[in-house]
Amino acid sequence: MSKSTFIIGLLVLLLPISIIAQENMGSSIERHQDQLQDLYKQLHQAPELSFMEFNTAKQMAAELGSLGFEVHEGIGGNTLVGLFRNGDGPVIMVRTDMDALPVEEKTGLPYASRVVTSDLEGNRVAAMHACGHDMHMTVWTGTARVMVDLKDQWKGTLMMIAQQAEERSGGATNAIGAGLYQKFPVPDFALAYHVSEKLPSGTIGYRSGPIMAGVSSVDITVFGEGGHGAQPDQTIDPVVLAARLILDIQTIVSRELSPLQPAVVTVGSIHGGTKHNIIPEEVKLQLTIRYYDEAVGAQIISALKRIGNGLAASAGLPPEKYPVVKVQDESTPPVINSPGLTDRLVPVLSSGLGKDHVIEMQPLMVGEDFGQYGLTPEQVPISLMWLGSIHPDKLPSGGAGPGLHTAYYYPDYPATIRTGVEGMVLMLLDLFGN
Ligand SMILES: [Zn+2]
Ligand SMILES: [Zn+2]
Protein backbone atom coordinates (compact mmCIF):
# COMPACT_ATOMS: atom_id res chain seq x y z
CA MET A 1 0.00 0.00 0.00
CA SER A 2 1.37 3.44 -0.90
CA LYS A 3 1.76 6.03 1.82
CA SER A 4 -1.02 8.20 0.37
CA THR A 5 -3.46 5.26 0.09
CA PHE A 6 -2.70 4.43 3.71
CA ILE A 7 -3.36 8.02 4.84
CA ILE A 8 -6.62 8.22 2.85
CA GLY A 9 -7.70 4.87 4.34
CA LEU A 10 -6.90 6.11 7.82
CA LEU A 11 -8.85 9.33 7.22
CA VAL A 12 -11.91 7.38 5.99
CA LEU A 13 -11.72 5.23 9.13
CA LEU A 14 -11.34 8.24 11.47
CA LEU A 15 -13.90 10.48 9.77
CA PRO A 16 -17.06 8.91 11.25
CA ILE A 17 -15.51 9.07 14.74
CA SER A 18 -14.73 12.77 14.44
CA ILE A 19 -18.20 13.49 12.99
CA ILE A 20 -19.83 11.66 15.90
CA ALA A 21 -17.68 13.59 18.38
CA GLN A 22 -18.58 16.89 16.72
CA GLU A 23 -22.29 16.08 16.60
CA ASN A 24 -22.36 15.08 20.23
CA MET A 25 -20.65 18.27 21.23
CA GLY A 26 -22.93 20.33 19.02
CA SER A 27 -26.13 18.75 20.29
CA SER A 28 -24.95 18.97 23.89
CA ILE A 29 -24.23 22.70 23.47
CA GLU A 30 -27.63 23.24 21.82
CA ARG A 31 -29.38 21.41 24.64
CA HIS A 32 -27.82 23.73 27.24
CA GLN A 33 -27.93 26.96 25.24
CA ASP A 34 -31.27 28.35 26.51
CA GLN A 35 -30.43 27.64 30.13
CA LEU A 36 -26.99 29.17 29.72
CA GLN A 37 -28.51 32.33 28.24
CA ASP A 38 -30.87 32.55 31.23
CA LEU A 39 -27.92 31.98 33.57
CA TYR A 40 -25.99 34.78 31.84
CA LYS A 41 -28.83 37.28 32.27
CA GLN A 42 -29.38 36.25 35.87
CA LEU A 43 -25.66 36.63 36.72
CA HIS A 44 -25.62 39.96 34.91
CA GLN A 45 -28.38 41.26 37.16
CA ALA A 46 -26.67 40.09 40.35
CA PRO A 47 -23.13 41.53 40.23
CA GLU A 48 -20.96 41.30 43.34
CA LEU A 49 -17.76 43.31 43.84
CA SER A 50 -14.25 41.93 44.35
CA PHE A 51 -13.77 39.86 47.54
CA MET A 52 -17.57 39.99 48.05
CA GLU A 53 -18.66 37.31 45.54
CA PHE A 54 -20.49 35.35 48.26
CA ASN A 55 -23.72 34.43 46.42
CA THR A 56 -21.99 34.08 43.06
CA ALA A 57 -19.50 31.59 44.53
CA LYS A 58 -22.31 29.57 46.13
CA GLN A 59 -24.10 29.47 42.82
CA MET A 60 -21.00 28.32 40.91
CA ALA A 61 -20.36 25.65 43.55
CA ALA A 62 -23.96 24.44 43.22
CA GLU A 63 -23.65 24.28 39.42
CA LEU A 64 -20.56 22.04 39.68
CA GLY A 65 -22.03 19.99 42.53
CA SER A 66 -25.15 19.19 40.49
CA LEU A 67 -22.91 17.84 37.71
CA GLY A 68 -21.08 15.45 40.02
CA PHE A 69 -17.93 17.52 40.59
CA GLU A 70 -16.14 17.21 43.93
CA VAL A 71 -16.41 20.83 45.11
CA HIS A 72 -14.05 22.64 47.51
CA GLU A 73 -15.11 26.12 48.59
CA GLY A 74 -13.27 28.89 50.41
CA ILE A 75 -9.84 28.55 48.76
CA GLY A 76 -8.24 31.78 50.05
CA GLY A 77 -11.58 33.63 50.13
CA ASN A 78 -14.55 33.04 47.83
CA THR A 79 -12.57 31.05 45.27
CA LEU A 80 -13.76 27.49 44.71
CA VAL A 81 -12.40 24.45 42.92
CA GLY A 82 -14.38 21.61 41.38
CA LEU A 83 -12.74 18.35 40.33
CA PHE A 84 -14.28 15.90 37.89
CA ARG A 85 -12.16 12.77 38.07
CA ASN A 86 -12.71 10.79 34.91
CA GLY A 87 -10.01 8.14 34.83
CA ASP A 88 -6.28 8.28 34.16
CA GLY A 89 -5.10 11.20 32.12
CA PRO A 90 -3.94 14.78 32.34
CA VAL A 91 -5.23 17.33 34.81
CA ILE A 92 -6.55 20.44 33.07
CA MET A 93 -7.59 23.58 34.87
CA VAL A 94 -10.22 25.97 33.47
CA ARG A 95 -10.53 29.28 35.25
CA THR A 96 -13.30 31.84 35.44
CA ASP A 97 -13.31 35.00 37.49
CA MET A 98 -16.46 36.09 39.33
CA ASP A 99 -16.21 39.74 40.38
CA ALA A 100 -17.98 42.82 39.03
CA LEU A 101 -17.00 46.50 38.99
CA PRO A 102 -18.29 49.64 40.73
CA VAL A 103 -19.87 51.00 37.56
CA GLU A 104 -23.45 52.21 37.04
CA GLU A 105 -24.81 50.40 34.01
CA LYS A 106 -26.15 52.59 31.19
CA THR A 107 -26.78 50.03 28.46
CA GLY A 108 -30.56 50.37 28.75
CA LEU A 109 -30.90 46.61 28.30
CA PRO A 110 -33.98 44.92 29.77
CA TYR A 111 -31.66 42.76 31.90
CA ALA A 112 -29.37 45.63 32.95
CA SER A 113 -27.98 45.61 36.48
CA ARG A 114 -29.73 47.92 38.93
CA VAL A 115 -27.65 46.77 41.88
CA VAL A 116 -26.40 49.31 44.41
CA THR A 117 -24.17 47.82 47.07
CA SER A 118 -21.42 48.56 49.57
CA ASP A 119 -17.82 48.18 48.48
CA LEU A 120 -15.03 46.82 50.68
CA GLU A 121 -14.40 50.27 52.09
CA GLY A 122 -18.09 50.71 52.97
CA ASN A 123 -19.00 53.22 50.20
CA ARG A 124 -22.42 52.85 48.51
CA VAL A 125 -21.75 52.17 44.82
CA ALA A 126 -23.57 50.84 41.78
CA ALA A 127 -22.28 47.49 40.53
CA MET A 128 -22.09 46.07 37.02
CA HIS A 129 -20.40 43.17 35.26
CA ALA A 130 -18.64 45.73 33.05
CA CYS A 131 -15.66 43.40 32.46
CA GLY A 132 -17.78 40.47 31.29
CA HIS A 133 -16.92 38.09 34.12
CA ASP A 134 -20.61 37.04 34.04
CA MET A 135 -19.95 35.80 30.51
CA HIS A 136 -16.80 34.00 31.68
CA MET A 137 -18.86 32.20 34.36
CA THR A 138 -21.58 31.28 31.87
CA VAL A 139 -19.11 29.80 29.38
CA TRP A 140 -17.27 28.04 32.24
CA THR A 141 -20.53 26.48 33.46
CA GLY A 142 -21.46 25.48 29.91
CA THR A 143 -18.02 23.91 29.47
CA ALA A 144 -18.46 21.85 32.64
CA ARG A 145 -21.90 20.67 31.50
CA VAL A 146 -20.78 19.67 28.01
CA MET A 147 -17.61 17.95 29.28
CA VAL A 148 -19.75 15.87 31.64
CA ASP A 149 -22.14 15.02 28.77
CA LEU A 150 -19.11 13.91 26.74
CA LYS A 151 -17.33 12.07 29.55
CA ASP A 152 -17.09 8.87 27.50
CA GLN A 153 -14.89 10.76 25.03
CA TRP A 154 -12.05 11.80 27.34
CA LYS A 155 -9.99 10.62 30.29
CA GLY A 156 -8.33 12.69 32.99
CA THR A 157 -9.28 15.22 35.64
CA LEU A 158 -11.13 18.41 34.81
CA MET A 159 -10.31 21.05 37.41
CA MET A 160 -12.70 24.01 37.30
CA ILE A 161 -11.69 27.05 39.34
CA ALA A 162 -13.97 30.06 39.94
CA GLN A 163 -11.78 32.85 41.22
CA GLN A 164 -12.61 35.87 43.34
CA ALA A 165 -11.26 39.39 42.94
CA GLU A 166 -9.60 39.46 39.53
CA GLU A 167 -10.22 43.20 39.34
CA ARG A 168 -8.30 43.84 42.54
CA SER A 169 -5.69 41.22 41.75
CA GLY A 170 -5.98 39.40 45.06
CA GLY A 171 -7.82 36.41 43.62
CA ALA A 172 -5.14 34.31 41.99
CA THR A 173 -2.49 35.19 44.60
CA ASN A 174 -4.80 34.23 47.48
CA ALA A 175 -5.81 30.93 45.86
CA ILE A 176 -2.18 30.00 45.20
CA GLY A 177 -1.22 31.12 48.71
CA ALA A 178 -4.01 28.98 50.17
CA GLY A 179 -2.38 25.89 48.63
CA LEU A 180 -4.12 25.55 45.27
CA TYR A 181 -1.30 23.42 43.86
CA GLN A 182 -0.69 21.53 47.11
CA LYS A 183 -4.29 20.63 48.03
CA PHE A 184 -5.30 19.71 44.50
CA PRO A 185 -3.52 17.97 41.64
CA VAL A 186 -1.07 20.26 39.84
CA PRO A 187 -2.62 20.96 36.42
CA ASP A 188 -0.75 19.89 33.29
CA PHE A 189 -2.35 22.92 31.58
CA ALA A 190 -4.44 25.89 32.63
CA LEU A 191 -6.86 27.72 30.32
CA ALA A 192 -9.02 30.84 30.55
CA TYR A 193 -10.89 33.34 28.43
CA HIS A 194 -11.35 37.04 28.61
CA VAL A 195 -14.12 38.66 26.57
CA SER A 196 -12.94 41.15 23.96
CA GLU A 197 -14.70 44.30 22.76
CA LYS A 198 -12.40 44.34 19.73
CA LEU A 199 -13.43 40.98 18.27
CA PRO A 200 -16.81 40.01 16.85
CA SER A 201 -18.87 37.36 18.60
CA GLY A 202 -18.22 33.97 17.05
CA THR A 203 -14.44 34.44 17.11
CA ILE A 204 -11.56 33.63 19.44
CA GLY A 205 -8.35 35.65 19.59
CA TYR A 206 -5.00 34.15 20.56
CA ARG A 207 -1.43 35.16 21.09
CA SER A 208 1.56 32.98 21.80
CA GLY A 209 3.86 34.51 24.43
CA PRO A 210 3.14 37.91 26.04
CA ILE A 211 -0.56 38.85 25.73
CA MET A 212 -1.31 41.18 28.66
CA ALA A 213 0.84 43.63 30.58
CA GLY A 214 2.13 43.76 34.12
CA VAL A 215 0.19 46.28 36.21
CA SER A 216 1.18 48.22 39.30
CA SER A 217 -1.23 50.52 41.12
CA VAL A 218 0.71 53.36 42.71
CA ASP A 219 -0.46 55.96 45.26
CA ILE A 220 1.48 59.21 45.54
CA THR A 221 0.92 61.77 48.29
CA VAL A 222 2.34 65.20 47.45
CA PHE A 223 2.91 67.34 50.54
CA GLY A 224 3.08 71.12 50.86
CA GLU A 225 2.54 73.80 53.46
CA GLY A 226 -1.08 74.94 53.46
CA GLY A 227 -2.57 78.33 54.16
CA HIS A 228 -4.98 81.01 53.00
CA GLY A 229 -5.68 81.06 49.27
CA ALA A 230 -5.15 84.82 49.33
CA GLN A 231 -1.60 84.47 50.66
CA PRO A 232 0.13 81.89 48.47
CA ASP A 233 3.50 83.49 49.20
CA GLN A 234 3.24 82.12 52.74
CA THR A 235 2.60 78.54 51.59
CA ILE A 236 4.15 75.81 49.47
CA ASP A 237 1.19 74.86 47.32
CA PRO A 238 0.87 71.07 46.86
CA VAL A 239 -1.77 71.57 44.13
CA VAL A 240 0.78 73.36 41.95
CA LEU A 241 3.44 70.77 42.85
CA ALA A 242 1.07 67.92 41.93
CA ALA A 243 0.31 69.61 38.60
CA ARG A 244 4.03 69.91 37.85
CA LEU A 245 4.59 66.32 38.90
CA ILE A 246 1.88 65.05 36.54
CA LEU A 247 3.48 66.85 33.60
CA ASP A 248 7.05 65.88 34.52
CA ILE A 249 6.31 62.16 34.82
CA GLN A 250 5.07 62.14 31.22
CA THR A 251 8.75 62.10 30.25
CA ILE A 252 9.44 58.77 32.01
CA VAL A 253 8.05 56.75 29.09
CA SER A 254 9.01 59.22 26.35
CA ARG A 255 12.57 60.12 27.52
CA GLU A 256 13.80 57.53 30.03
CA LEU A 257 12.69 54.13 28.75
CA SER A 258 13.92 52.36 25.66
CA PRO A 259 11.61 53.23 22.73
CA LEU A 260 11.36 49.49 22.16
CA GLN A 261 9.91 48.84 25.62
CA PRO A 262 6.11 49.15 25.90
CA ALA A 263 5.05 51.05 29.03
CA VAL A 264 2.25 53.30 30.27
CA VAL A 265 2.12 55.82 33.12
CA THR A 266 -1.43 57.10 33.70
CA VAL A 267 -2.66 59.33 36.52
CA GLY A 268 -6.26 58.19 36.97
CA SER A 269 -7.19 60.14 40.06
CA ILE A 270 -6.18 63.39 41.75
CA HIS A 271 -7.67 64.73 44.97
CA GLY A 272 -6.64 67.67 47.10
CA GLY A 273 -8.18 70.46 49.09
CA THR A 274 -11.63 71.24 50.44
CA LYS A 275 -12.53 74.76 49.32
CA HIS A 276 -11.82 77.54 46.80
CA ASN A 277 -9.77 79.69 49.16
CA ILE A 278 -7.72 77.18 51.13
CA ILE A 279 -4.32 75.93 50.01
CA PRO A 280 -4.27 72.34 51.32
CA GLU A 281 -1.53 70.43 53.11
CA GLU A 282 -1.46 67.56 50.60
CA VAL A 283 -2.71 66.19 47.28
CA LYS A 284 -3.24 62.49 46.58
CA LEU A 285 -2.68 60.87 43.18
CA GLN A 286 -3.55 57.37 42.01
CA LEU A 287 -1.61 55.96 39.07
CA THR A 288 -1.61 52.84 37.01
CA ILE A 289 1.65 51.79 35.42
CA ARG A 290 1.91 49.07 32.77
CA TYR A 291 4.89 47.15 31.41
CA TYR A 292 5.94 43.81 29.94
CA ASP A 293 9.27 43.61 31.73
CA GLU A 294 9.34 43.69 35.55
CA ALA A 295 12.63 45.64 35.39
CA VAL A 296 10.83 48.38 33.45
CA GLY A 297 8.15 48.47 36.18
CA ALA A 298 10.86 48.94 38.81
CA GLN A 299 12.55 51.63 36.68
CA ILE A 300 9.27 53.59 36.45
CA ILE A 301 8.71 53.43 40.22
CA SER A 302 12.21 54.67 40.90
CA ALA A 303 11.77 57.51 38.35
CA LEU A 304 8.49 58.54 40.04
CA LYS A 305 10.35 58.84 43.35
CA ARG A 306 13.32 60.69 41.85
CA ILE A 307 11.18 63.24 39.97
CA GLY A 308 8.89 63.74 42.99
CA ASN A 309 11.82 64.32 45.33
CA GLY A 310 13.42 66.74 42.89
CA LEU A 311 10.24 68.82 42.59
CA ALA A 312 9.72 68.93 46.34
CA ALA A 313 13.35 70.03 46.85
CA SER A 314 13.02 72.71 44.18
CA ALA A 315 9.93 74.06 45.98
CA GLY A 316 11.94 74.34 49.18
CA LEU A 317 10.35 71.46 51.09
CA PRO A 318 12.50 69.55 53.60
CA PRO A 319 13.21 65.84 52.88
CA GLU A 320 10.55 64.69 55.37
CA LYS A 321 7.98 66.40 53.13
CA TYR A 322 9.10 64.73 49.91
CA PRO A 323 6.25 62.81 48.19
CA VAL A 324 5.41 59.33 49.45
CA VAL A 325 5.21 56.79 46.60
CA LYS A 326 3.45 53.56 47.57
CA VAL A 327 2.98 50.54 45.30
CA GLN A 328 -0.32 48.81 46.13
CA ASP A 329 -0.85 45.08 46.57
CA GLU A 330 -3.15 45.17 43.53
CA SER A 331 -0.09 44.86 41.29
CA THR A 332 0.03 41.89 38.94
CA PRO A 333 2.69 40.48 36.58
CA PRO A 334 2.33 40.23 32.77
CA VAL A 335 0.37 37.33 31.28
CA ILE A 336 2.76 35.24 29.20
CA ASN A 337 0.94 32.54 27.26
CA SER A 338 2.96 29.35 27.07
CA PRO A 339 3.99 29.16 23.37
CA GLY A 340 4.00 25.32 23.32
CA LEU A 341 0.43 25.14 24.63
CA THR A 342 -0.96 28.04 22.60
CA ASP A 343 0.61 26.87 19.34
CA ARG A 344 -0.90 23.43 19.92
CA LEU A 345 -4.41 24.83 20.50
CA VAL A 346 -4.64 27.26 17.56
CA PRO A 347 -5.01 24.57 14.86
CA VAL A 348 -7.53 22.74 17.07
CA LEU A 349 -9.67 25.89 17.22
CA SER A 350 -9.17 26.66 13.53
CA SER A 351 -10.32 23.24 12.40
CA GLY A 352 -13.28 23.25 14.81
CA LEU A 353 -14.52 26.82 14.40
CA GLY A 354 -13.14 27.68 10.95
CA LYS A 355 -9.91 29.51 10.19
CA ASP A 356 -11.61 32.92 9.87
CA HIS A 357 -12.95 32.62 13.40
CA VAL A 358 -9.55 32.27 15.05
CA ILE A 359 -7.59 35.50 15.02
CA GLU A 360 -4.04 36.33 16.06
CA MET A 361 -3.98 39.35 18.39
CA GLN A 362 -1.35 41.90 19.33
CA PRO A 363 -0.37 42.22 23.01
CA LEU A 364 -2.36 44.84 24.93
CA MET A 365 -1.49 46.94 27.96
CA VAL A 366 -4.51 45.66 29.93
CA GLY A 367 -3.78 43.33 32.84
CA GLU A 368 -5.12 40.06 34.29
CA ASP A 369 -4.07 38.04 37.29
CA PHE A 370 -4.41 34.74 35.38
CA GLY A 371 -0.68 35.01 34.62
CA GLN A 372 0.03 34.18 38.29
CA TYR A 373 -1.07 30.55 37.75
CA GLY A 374 1.91 30.04 35.43
CA LEU A 375 4.50 31.74 37.63
CA THR A 376 4.70 29.34 40.57
CA PRO A 377 7.55 26.80 40.93
CA GLU A 378 5.22 24.19 39.38
CA GLN A 379 5.53 26.11 36.05
CA VAL A 380 2.06 25.21 34.80
CA PRO A 381 1.73 26.04 31.07
CA ILE A 382 -1.07 28.58 30.70
CA SER A 383 -3.03 30.04 27.83
CA LEU A 384 -5.54 32.85 27.99
CA MET A 385 -7.61 33.46 24.88
CA TRP A 386 -9.70 36.47 23.90
CA LEU A 387 -13.37 35.62 23.38
CA GLY A 388 -14.97 37.85 20.72
CA SER A 389 -18.14 39.36 22.16
CA ILE A 390 -19.46 42.23 20.02
CA HIS A 391 -22.21 41.62 17.47
CA PRO A 392 -20.53 41.94 14.04
CA ASP A 393 -23.07 44.64 12.99
CA LYS A 394 -22.04 46.75 15.99
CA LEU A 395 -18.29 46.48 15.46
CA PRO A 396 -16.79 49.25 13.30
CA SER A 397 -14.19 47.72 10.99
CA GLY A 398 -10.81 47.84 12.65
CA GLY A 399 -12.40 49.43 15.72
CA ALA A 400 -13.96 48.34 18.96
CA GLY A 401 -17.42 48.16 20.49
CA PRO A 402 -18.35 49.79 23.81
CA GLY A 403 -15.26 49.25 25.96
CA LEU A 404 -14.77 46.90 28.88
CA HIS A 405 -15.00 48.74 32.22
CA THR A 406 -17.48 51.25 30.74
CA ALA A 407 -21.17 51.62 31.60
CA TYR A 408 -22.03 50.68 28.00
CA TYR A 409 -20.27 47.34 27.46
CA TYR A 410 -22.49 44.39 26.61
CA PRO A 411 -21.70 41.15 24.81
CA ASP A 412 -23.77 39.59 22.05
CA TYR A 413 -24.55 36.83 24.51
CA PRO A 414 -26.10 34.01 22.41
CA ALA A 415 -23.18 33.78 19.96
CA THR A 416 -20.52 34.52 22.59
CA ILE A 417 -21.75 31.72 24.84
CA ARG A 418 -21.98 29.23 21.97
CA THR A 419 -18.50 29.96 20.60
CA GLY A 420 -16.97 30.17 24.07
CA VAL A 421 -18.24 26.76 25.11
CA GLU A 422 -17.45 25.15 21.76
CA GLY A 423 -13.91 26.55 21.69
CA MET A 424 -13.13 25.52 25.26
CA VAL A 425 -14.53 22.00 24.79
CA LEU A 426 -12.54 21.58 21.56
CA MET A 427 -9.35 22.60 23.37
CA LEU A 428 -10.06 20.35 26.34
CA LEU A 429 -10.86 17.29 24.23
CA ASP A 430 -7.60 17.79 22.39
CA LEU A 431 -5.56 18.23 25.59
CA PHE A 432 -7.22 15.23 27.20
CA GLY A 433 -6.00 13.27 24.19
CA ASN A 434 -9.37 12.69 22.51
ZN1 LIG B 1 -11.54 44.14 34.24
ZN1 LIG C 1 -11.83 41.15 33.46
Side-chain angles (χ1 to χ4, degrees), residues 95 97 99 101 130-133 136 166-167 193-195 212 367-368 404-405:
R95 178 271 213 163
D97 34 20
D99 51 332
L101 286 163
C131 202
H133 298 183
H136 302 168
E166 188 282 322
E167 296 292 353
Y193 280 127
H194 203 294
V195 288
M212 291 192 193
E368 240 284 358
L404 294 171
H405 286 213

Side-chain angles (χ1 to χ4, degrees), residues 42-43 46-48 52-62 73 78 80 98 137:
Q42 180 260 312
L43 288 168
E48 292 181 297
M52 302 169 88
E53 312 88 340
F54 307 113
N55 294 325
T56 312
K58 276 200 197 85
Q59 193 180 346
M60 292 300 106
E73 294 173 74
N78 295 321
L80 62 112
M98 298 189 286
M137 288 187 273

Side-chain angles (χ1 to χ4, degrees), residues 113-167:
S113 164
R114 292 185 178 80
V115 170
V116 176
T117 185
S118 291
D119 67 12
L120 265 190
E121 291 77 27
N123 309 306
R124 293 298 286 172
V125 289
M128 173 190 176
H129 270 296
C131 202
H133 298 183
D134 48 353
M135 177 55 72
H136 302 168
M137 288 187 273
T138 306
V139 168
W140 181 88
T141 304
T143 299
R145 289 187 187 187
V146 174
M147 288 304 287
V148 170
D149 283 351
L150 303 185
K151 63 175 187 277
D152 296 340
Q153 297 180 29
W154 58 276
K155 282 208 182 315
T157 297
L158 179 58
M159 176 174 173
M160 305 294 287
I161 176 167
Q163 181 208 301
Q164 69 170 7
E166 188 282 322
E167 296 292 353

Side-chain angles (χ1 to χ4, degrees), residues 36-47 59-60 63 111 129 134:
L36 291 173
Q37 292 181 185
D38 290 346
L39 172 67
Y40 169 73
K41 285 185 272 189
Q42 180 260 312
L43 288 168
H44 188 77
Q45 291 175 86
Q59 193 180 346
M60 292 300 106
E63 285 283 350
Y111 55 89
H129 270 296
D134 48 353

Side-chain angles (χ1 to χ4, degrees), residues 340-369:
L341 175 59
T342 310
D343 294 347
R344 169 176 171 176
L345 295 174
V346 171
V348 173
L349 290 172
S350 295
S351 70
L353 302 175
K355 228 174 168 353
D356 295 347
H357 295 253
V358 185
I359 297 162
E360 183 167 21
M361 304 291 283
Q362 292 301 312
L364 294 180
M365 299 310 285
V366 295
E368 240 284 358
D369 70 357

